[in-house]
Amino acid sequence: MNILDKIVIDKRKEVILRKSLIPIKQLEQSVLFDRPENSLAIALRNSASGIIAEHKRRSPSKSEINQSLNVQDVATGYEDAGVCGMSVLTDAKYFGGSLDDLLIARAATKFPLLRKEFIIDEYQLLEAKAYGADVILLIAAVLSKEEIKNLSEFAKSLKLNVLLEVHNEEELQKSIMPSLDMLGVNNRNLKTFDVSLETSKALSTLIPDDFVKVSESGISSIAAIQDLKNYGYQGFLIGENFMKTDAPGTHAKKFIEQLEAK
């Protein structure tokens, strides 16, 4: 059993518990639930940099990244830096995040927020909407084609953008459907944690131009982004490179300035 399998088993238990604690009707009554669509896909298409910056305290591959920073400060720093949107890890056990992180980021900013989570149930999409997310992540490695279809269509009915993440050609081929906005290629092998940008390059020609192409993981240099843009990528998810510093927003601002100056 790999780490992804373990996370999904734990996530199923967690969702059952959360459903028992907070009924759907309560989520639907959230003041944030009726917010209009705030499209990350459109922001990426219109951006010179395409940066999606991430808030992440820790991960299974890097036990601790940054536990000390205030979510609000990180969010406002990223927005001031001019990133297209922010990814917020909401998994507690493996990443040290929470839905409250999403709520705090939403209160402090206006740019699109991605709930980065291991989504296996429609209930989690209702949570995402209620806590201020604009975008949800679906991971092809843990979902069947039917599940991807049902979850993505339900997300669209909630005016949420959908970012579908793949790791290989097999996952990509089962995932391409009109209810997606963005197709993300994760450069990290979830079984070995090895990272290679060649994964994004190899899959780029297989992704239809209808979708915004997003490259995820292992992106830490201007040169890497310039290289990936040649393969049609318009979005670049960067987490550890900013979060391992004491001022993620400041570093994101410098990074974007250097990128746009090239």
Side-chain angles (χ1 to χ4, degrees), residues 136-201:
I136 56 99
L137 175 75
L138 298 179
I139 302 173
V142 303
L143 299 168
S144 68
K145 183 173 185 175
E146 190 67 19
E147 286 171 328
I148 293 168
K149 182 177 186 294
N150 292 340
L151 288 167
S152 58
E153 288 179 353
F154 186 59
K156 299 306 289 180
S157 77
L158 297 174
K159 296 185 173 65
L160 292 167
N161 266 196
V162 180
L163 170 61
L164 190 286
E165 176 182 296
V166 301
H167 300 84
N168 55 46
E169 183 176 348
E170 182 185 358
E171 291 175 6
L172 177 61
Q173 296 298 357
K174 78 171 182 182
S175 305
I176 295 173
M177 56 188 73
S179 46
L180 309 177
D181 300 284
M182 295 160 282
L183 270 162
V185 178
N186 193 333
N187 300 304
R188 176 173 283 117
N189 183 314
L190 293 181
K191 294 176 181 175
T192 64
F193 290 124
D194 292 339
V195 176
S196 172
L197 298 184
E198 295 305 314
T199 307
S200 282
K201 294 177 185 179

Side-chain angles (χ1 to χ4, degrees), residues 38 40 86-88 90 102 113-130 132-139 143 147-148 150-156 158-165 179-182 216:
N38 188 10
L40 177 60
M86 177 176 169
S87 166
V88 181
T90 60
L102 192 57
L113 295 178
L114 163 69
R115 182 187 185 188
K116 196 168 188 193
E117 181 57 271
F118 298 87
I119 289 177
I120 50 166
D121 193 289
E122 287 185 357
Y123 182 83
Q124 293 165 288
L125 304 184
L126 295 167
E127 283 182 324
K129 188 69 177 179
D134 304 292
V135 193
I136 56 99
L137 175 75
L138 298 179
I139 302 173
L143 299 168
E147 286 171 328
I148 293 168
N150 292 340
L151 288 167
S152 58
E153 288 179 353
F154 186 59
K156 299 306 289 180
L158 297 174
K159 296 185 173 65
L160 292 167
N161 266 196
V162 180
L163 170 61
L164 190 286
E165 176 182 296
S179 46
L180 309 177
D181 300 284
M182 295 160 282
E216 310 169 20

Side-chain angles (χ1 to χ4, degrees), residues 40-95:
L40 177 60
I42 291 174
L44 292 173
R45 285 192 191 277
N46 295 330
S47 170
S49 70
I51 303 297
I52 308 163
E54 192 156 80
H55 179 270
K56 179 163 62 173
R57 293 185 180 88
R58 56 185 168 86
S59 73
S61 60
K62 296 271 180 69
S63 55
E64 184 171 320
I65 298 165
N66 197 326
Q67 302 273 22
S68 63
L69 294 174
N70 178 297
V71 179
Q72 180 176 324
D73 292 343
V74 174
T76 54
Y78 281 155
E79 190 167 51
D80 291 344
V83 305
C84 293
M86 177 176 169
S87 166
V88 181
L89 268 295
T90 60
D91 174 80
K93 182 171 182 179
Y94 296 91
F95 291 87

Side-chain angles (χ1 to χ4, degrees), residues 208-229:
D209 291 335
D210 306 0
F211 308 104
V212 176
K213 299 178 189 179
V214 178
S215 186
E216 310 169 20
S217 297
I219 301 168
S220 59
S221 69
I222 304 292
I225 289 177
Q226 289 176 318
D227 191 14
L228 288 167
K229 281 187 174 185

